[in-house]
Amino acid sequence: EPEVTQTPSHQVTQMGQEVILRCVPISNHLYFYWYRQILGQKVEFLVSFYNNEISEKSEIFDDQFSVERPDGSNFTLKIRSTKLEDSAMYFCASREPGGQETQYFGPGTRLLVL
Amino acid sequence: GQSLEQPSEVTAVEGAIVQINCTYQTSGFYGLSWYQQHDGGAPTFLSYNGLDGLEETGRFSSFLSRSDSYGYLLLQELQMKDSASYFCAVRGTTDSWGKLQFGAGTQVVVTP
């Protein structure tokens, strides 16, 4: 069964450094998302991406964040100048076209900012 | 804005039935989804209700009442592997691209 994959599974970085989190959505899906989950808390929406551009973003998704689909398969989240409070699990998700509501989540990248 | 409320924890024995309620407040409503998340794992889609009524998928069922801004997830014939967190998630009418707003989650603990 097709699945969303994410790399790396864990990332440790120093405060102020840049990180890039990578995702490979399911191949025929057209809607892509990033969510984050701080330990013990709920899943929070960051950004949605469709037709090679951001379609919606939350207030969390400020200027330090950016997303990109550099080729036909990868979908990346870049965090510039990481802060301690960026430590969280970051999930990529994708959804197929045609009105289906199911979002398929990847296994996540656990980011720890020291 | 949107807010969702669900109980923080429910404990039940194997074989029992558990109902997880979710009430929501939203400026516009499109549908209510349910996701399961095991410790350290990714959310996994369980069920979706766009219209009032009951949706059944095996041992799991989900119900929606749009007029009451209320839904629930029913877990039947509980198994140990059902121990996980369960999140309700709302998609609002303004969320054209499918953005989900999640509740805080209900930890279901299944005991022998």
Side-chain angles (χ1 to χ4, degrees):
Chain A
E1 186 174 325
E3 58 183 18
V4 177
T5 59
Q6 290 185 243
T7 54
S9 58
H10 294 79
Q11 173 97 46
V12 180
T13 191
Q14 296 290 323
M15 189 170 57
Q17 295 297 303
E18 174 182 287
V19 295
I20 298 176
L21 311 183
R22 292 184 166 81
C23 169
V24 179
I26 296 173
S27 62
N28 66 326
H29 288 191
L30 296 182
Y31 302 91
F32 312 115
Y33 310 86
W34 283 101
Y35 294 85
R36 78 172 186 190
Q37 186 177 31
I38 295 170
L39 190 63
Q41 298 186 22
K42 67 179 180 181
V43 177
E44 299 175 290
F45 169 79
L46 291 178
V47 67
S48 60
F49 193 86
Y50 172 75
N51 200 26
N52 282 321
E53 60 183 23
I54 290 174
S55 46
E56 194 167 7
K57 57 185 181 180
S58 72
E59 57 275 8
I60 302 169
F61 195 89
D62 59 23
D63 291 344
Q64 69 165 141
F65 292 92
S66 62
V67 289
E68 195 176 44
R69 189 157 161 82
D71 54 44
S73 59
N74 291 286
F75 180 49
T76 62
L77 174 69
K78 181 189 290 186
I79 311 175
R80 287 181 281 273
S81 190
T82 49
K83 305 175 204 158
L84 296 177
E85 54 265 36
D86 294 328
S87 295
M89 181 74 96
Y90 288 80
F91 292 107
C92 170
S94 69
R95 183 168 69 97
E96 62 183 298
Q100 296 298 317
E101 288 301 314
T102 308
Q103 291 191 21
Y104 294 85
F105 283 73
T109 294
R110 183 165 295 286
L111 177 66
L112 178 61
V113 183
L114 302 176
Chain B
Q2 293 159 333
S3 68
L4 296 93
E5 288 196 18
Q6 51 182 128
S8 59
E9 185 171 319
V10 173
T11 300
V13 297
E14 265 187 300
I17 298 174
V18 158
Q19 179 173 314
I20 303 169
N21 298 321
C22 175
T23 57
Y24 57 87
Q25 288 186 322
T26 177
S27 53
F29 179 82
Y30 190 91
L32 185 72
S33 296
W34 290 91
Y35 283 79
Q36 179 193 60
Q37 185 181 36
H38 286 98
D39 271 352
T44 304
F45 174 81
L46 291 177
S47 190
Y48 171 77
N49 295 78
L51 302 174
D52 285 0
L54 192 68
E55 291 286 336
E56 297 181 83
T57 312
R59 294 187 296 113
F60 296 173
S61 304
S62 61
F63 172 83
L64 176 67
S65 169
R66 296 171 72 106
S67 60
D68 295 322
S69 298
Y70 163 77
Y72 67 71
L73 179 70
L74 195 70
L75 315 179
Q76 301 180 78
E77 301 171 24
L78 273 181
Q79 301 176 8
M80 296 298 291
K81 67 178 182 180
D82 298 330
S83 290
S85 290
Y86 294 82
F87 295 86
C88 57
V90 159
R91 178 180 168 184
T93 50
T94 56
D95 301 329
S96 306
W97 310 105
K99 175 184 78 176
L100 293 175
Q101 297 280 4
F102 284 80
T106 299
Q107 178 78 40
V108 171
V109 178
V110 182
T111 61

